[in-house]
Amino acid sequence: MACNNTTYSEYITNHTELFIEFHKNSYFVSLFDYHIPNTMVAHRYVTLVWVVIGIFGNIVSALVWANPRMRTCNTAAYYLTCLSIADLTFLVLCFIYELENPWLLGSLDLAGWCQIFNMANMSVQYFCVFLVFAFTVERFLSMCFPFKSERFGKTRTPKIIMGLLSLAILMGIPQTYFWSIQSMTGECNLSPSSFYSMFTWLSEMAVFGLLPVLVLLFNIAVLMKIRSVGNLTLGNSSNDSRVSNRNGTFNGNSTIASERNMETTHLSGRAKGEAKTKSYKGTTVTLLWVSFFLILTMLPNTVVYIMQQRVKTGFMPCRKEDMLTD
């Protein structure tokens, strides 16, 4: 192995300043700058551009879904409003983390703030998945079991959201134990332990593995239900009553006038019904897109996160030049 240089390793270990520098974030950032400079440039600038675009988009989305008219139409507006706020919070935290790494501005290197940041960072991610899972279940029940969907009424939806937020915060609290300011480097770093490994595996598999799979299954069920229902529209019964009225035994101006009034009323009711149906279908399509986006982005990330634990790293410390031939 090119990096199996015991002399270099002993030299780093016996020199305190070099040993401390080896464990700092700046050392690993310098490795990336040396081996993949173009990637690091994109990481520094492109990420910030996406963060700014995401912040603006989520602000607009939150304002639209928080409109009282949207909330009166369906309960999904509550979930999508909270999801926009949660995503906005995550992007702000992402921006702060970018200042820490790779910009190396020390935005997290403060006792207390280091723990709070990592707790909030994980709690927001948990909360986003919980929200997507909740409105997916709500949409599944409203499509497949309409009578049971009454449990997700306007009065219970805020309570459900608050319960999910509380659960996300509780699951994020252990991060205050895992992260701390390292006395050697003075940086906010992870302190691995057996409890950390067990908790991370369970939480990652449950929240970022199992829940997206369940969301996928519920979405498939909703799509199958929509396909089976077809293009059913409201107002068919009104058409039948109008036809039976025209075939009645009474004639005259009064009958004609009443028929016209009933026809106008039925057409108005049918138009409202069709508008409501289109609004419901539009919301369902929006929720399906959000759910599938979560699945397509979360599952691959979870698989890579799990696989990286099985990848064996090379011998360290190692010279930058020797890494190319390792």
Side-chain angles (χ1 to χ4, degrees), residues 46-288:
V46 176
T47 303
L48 292 179
V49 172
W50 281 114
V51 167
V52 172
I53 294 175
I55 289 175
F56 174 77
N58 279 287
I59 291 175
V60 174
S61 177
L63 293 176
V64 171
W65 288 108
N67 190 295
R69 293 183 179 180
M70 300 298 296
R71 294 200 303 271
T72 55
C73 294
N74 52 69
T75 58
Y78 291 93
Y79 292 109
L80 294 176
T81 301
C82 293
L83 184 61
S84 299
I85 296 174
D87 288 337
L88 175 63
T89 304
F90 174 75
L91 289 173
V92 172
L93 296 176
C94 182
F95 175 76
I96 296 174
Y97 181 78
E98 289 292 312
L99 297 179
E100 172 75 14
N101 185 9
W103 287 96
L104 302 175
L105 297 180
S107 58
L108 302 179
D109 302 336
L110 181 65
W113 168 240
C114 170
Q115 291 82 357
I116 293 175
F117 172 86
N118 286 283
M119 182 196 72
N121 185 39
M122 291 306 302
S123 297
V124 168
Q125 295 183 56
Y126 293 146
F127 187 47
C128 290
V129 179
F130 291 160
L131 287 174
V132 175
F133 178 74
F135 70 62
T136 302
V137 173
E138 185 270 341
R139 195 57 37 165
F140 168 76
L141 293 177
S142 63
M143 293 293 295
C144 302
F145 305 97
F147 295 103
K148 293 184 179 181
S149 64
E150 295 179 358
R151 299 178 181 179
F152 293 84
K154 298 177 183 178
T155 57
R156 293 194 177 186
T157 298
K159 297 179 181 178
I160 294 174
I161 293 175
M162 290 303 299
L164 295 176
L165 178 60
S166 301
L167 178 60
I169 294 175
L170 287 176
M171 292 186 63
I173 289 178
Q175 300 298 326
T176 60
Y177 171 76
F178 301 146
W179 293 82
S180 61
I181 301 296
Q182 301 297 320
S183 58
M184 181 174 63
T185 61
E187 295 178 338
C188 179
N189 285 319
L190 180 67
S191 301
S193 62
S194 57
F195 175 59
Y196 167 78
S197 300
M198 180 183 66
F199 178 83
T200 302
W201 269 89
L202 292 177
S203 62
E204 289 287 327
M205 293 300 296
V207 179
F208 304 118
L210 178 61
L211 289 186
V213 172
L214 292 177
V215 168
L216 175 62
L217 296 178
F218 283 128
N219 282 339
I220 293 174
V222 171
L223 290 174
M224 293 178 63
K225 185 65 176 180
I226 293 176
R227 183 178 180 181
S228 63
V229 171
N231 297 324
L232 293 179
T233 57
L234 301 178
N236 291 333
S237 59
S238 62
N239 291 336
D240 296 339
S241 62
R242 188 174 66 219
V243 172
S244 62
N245 186 37
R246 285 180 174 176
N247 293 333
T249 57
F250 294 97
N251 296 318
N253 295 331
S254 60
T255 304
I256 296 175
S258 61
E259 287 178 354
R260 290 178 178 176
N261 291 334
M262 292 181 65
E263 184 175 357
T264 302
T265 303
H266 293 321
L267 289 175
S268 176
R270 182 176 181 180
K272 292 180 180 179
E274 290 178 349
K276 186 175 181 180
T277 303
K278 291 180 180 179
S279 176
Y280 184 82
K281 288 182 178 179
T283 304
T284 302
V285 172
T286 301
L287 296 178
L288 287 174

